[in-house]
C-alpha cells in the first residue's frame, strides 16, 4: 500500500513530529491553514472514520486525549479539531487524521 501517512508513522517519510507513542503519531501539517496546524493519526491504517469499527474504540479515544495533551503542550486555549471524511468533505489523504488547528479565528459553520 502506498500511503503517505503510513510512511510518516514508520519514519520512512520525513515530517516534523510533535508526538508519538505506540499507537498514535502527530506532526506539523505541510501546508498549514492556521498558525498552529497539527495532524494526529493512528499508526494503524484506517482510511477514514467511517472505516473504523468497535475494535478501534480505545484507539479513537486515545487520539482525542493526544489532542488534549498537544493543546496543553502548545499552550492552545481555543482550538479546532476536525476530520474530513471522504472527498466531498475535503479529505485528500486516505489515512484517518484529525486536524488540530489554532491561533486564528475560525468561522462556523466551517466552510
Ligand atoms: P485532508 O485534506 O485529507 O483532510 O488533510 C490532509 C492534510 O495533509 C492537508 O492539510 C495537507 O497539507 C497534509 N499533508 C499532505 N501531505 C503531507 C505530507 O507529506 N506531510 C505533511 N506533514 N502533511 C501533509
Ligand atoms: Zn496509511
Amino acid at each position: 500500500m502506498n500511503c503517505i501517512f503510513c510512511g510518516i508513522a514508520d519514519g520512512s517519510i520525513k515530517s516534523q513530529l510533535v508526538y508519538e507513542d505506540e499507537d498514535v503519531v502527530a506532526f506539523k501539517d505541510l501546508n498549514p491553514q492556521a498558525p498552529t496546524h497539527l495532524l494526529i493519526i493512528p499508526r494503524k491504517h484506517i482510511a477514514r472514520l467511517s472505516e473504523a469499527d468497535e475494535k478501534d474504540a480505545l484507539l479513537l479515544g486515545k487520539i482525542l486525549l493526544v489532542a488534549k495533551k498537544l493543546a496543553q503542550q502548545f499552550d492552545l486555549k481555543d482550538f479546532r479539531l476536525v476530520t474530513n471524511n471522504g472527498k466531498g468533505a475535503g479529505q485528500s489523504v486516505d489515512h484517518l487524521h484529525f486536524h488540530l488547528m489554532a491561533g486564528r479565528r475560525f468561522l462556523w459553520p466551517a466552510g
Side-chain angles (χ1 to χ4, degrees):
M1 194 195 334
N2 198 7
C3 171
I4 303 170
F5 287 179
C6 281
I8 287 176
D10 72 19
S12 61
I13 293 175
K14 270 200 158 178
S15 71
Q16 285 186 269
L17 286 189
V18 294
Y19 178 88
E20 64 177 325
D21 65 28
E22 65 275 27
D23 300 313
V24 179
V25 175
F27 50 95
K28 294 190 177 177
D29 195 292
L30 200 58
N31 183 23
Q33 301 299 314
T36 301
H37 187 170
L38 308 176
L39 297 172
I40 307 169
I41 67 168
R43 286 190 188 275
K44 175 183 175 184
H45 183 88
I46 300 170
R48 55 192 54 80
L49 188 58
S50 56
E51 308 246 319
D53 64 31
E54 294 299 322
K55 290 194 302 293
D56 301 313
L58 208 61
L59 179 60
L60 294 173
K62 204 165 174 188
I63 288 172
L64 294 182
L65 290 173
V66 168
K68 177 200 151 173
K69 208 177 292 185
L70 285 168
Q72 284 173 334
Q73 189 182 317
F74 281 74
D75 205 20
L76 311 176
K77 189 169 72 70
D78 300 325
F79 59 87
R80 180 166 286 178
L81 185 68
V82 66
T83 190
N84 296 323
N85 191 98
K87 269 197 175 52
Q91 183 174 11
S92 60
V93 176
D94 281 347
H95 181 128
L96 177 63
H97 51 282
F98 290 81
H99 298 258
L100 176 61
M101 304 166 82
R104 66 167 171 84
R105 279 189 67 81
F106 294 101
L107 300 176
W108 191 258

